[in-house]
Amino acid sequence: MLRLIGLSDPTVEMLLQRHMKGLPTLSSAEIAGSKIHSFPKKEIVARIQSGMTDAQADAEASAREKRLAHSVLVFVRTRGRRR
């Protein structure tokens, strides 16, 4: 699954080693979600190395979605006559 997401072999090995040692790692679903939200590969690798959990990744993704949703809201004052 991780190879289908587009992760390189060293990244997959690092993720598996962390999992085998019992260290906290992101699940493949969370990694795929990060790819969908267009995070760069370097940032995904940094998240894996820092030991980010699925709950932390979910919270960060929802906060990012809220920021993006609110950044689009722009009120424009219409001046002049209406047609």
Side-chain angles (χ1 to χ4, degrees), residues 4 10 22 34 51-52 66 75 79 82:
L4 293 174
S34 297
M52 183 178 271
K66 285 180 184 177
F75 296 101
R79 295 180 183 212
R82 296 171 90 185

Side-chain angles (χ1 to χ4, degrees), residues 33-73:
S34 297
K35 291 283 284 187
I36 289 170
H37 291 293
S38 68
F39 284 108
K41 287 184 183 180
K42 288 181 181 181
E43 193 168 329
I44 293 172
V45 171
R47 289 170 167 213
I48 294 169
Q49 288 175 341
S50 69
M52 183 178 271
T53 62
D54 287 345
Q56 292 170 333
D58 280 337
E60 188 175 304
S62 64
R64 181 181 172 131
E65 287 176 7
K66 285 180 184 177
R67 269 184 287 150
L68 289 175
H70 290 293
S71 67
V72 177
L73 294 176

Side-chain angles (χ1 to χ4, degrees), residues 2-61:
L2 296 171
R3 292 290 299 142
L4 293 174
I5 294 171
L7 296 179
S8 63
D9 288 335
T11 305
V12 172
E13 281 186 34
M14 178 190 57
L15 187 66
L16 291 175
Q17 287 175 355
R18 288 185 63 83
H19 183 69
M20 290 174 69
K21 290 179 183 177
L23 298 172
T25 58
L26 291 174
S27 66
S28 57
E30 287 299 323
I31 294 171
S34 297
K35 291 283 284 187
I36 289 170
H37 291 293
S38 68
F39 284 108
K41 287 184 183 180
K42 288 181 181 181
E43 193 168 329
I44 293 172
V45 171
R47 289 170 167 213
I48 294 169
Q49 288 175 341
S50 69
M52 183 178 271
T53 62
D54 287 345
Q56 292 170 333
D58 280 337
E60 188 175 304

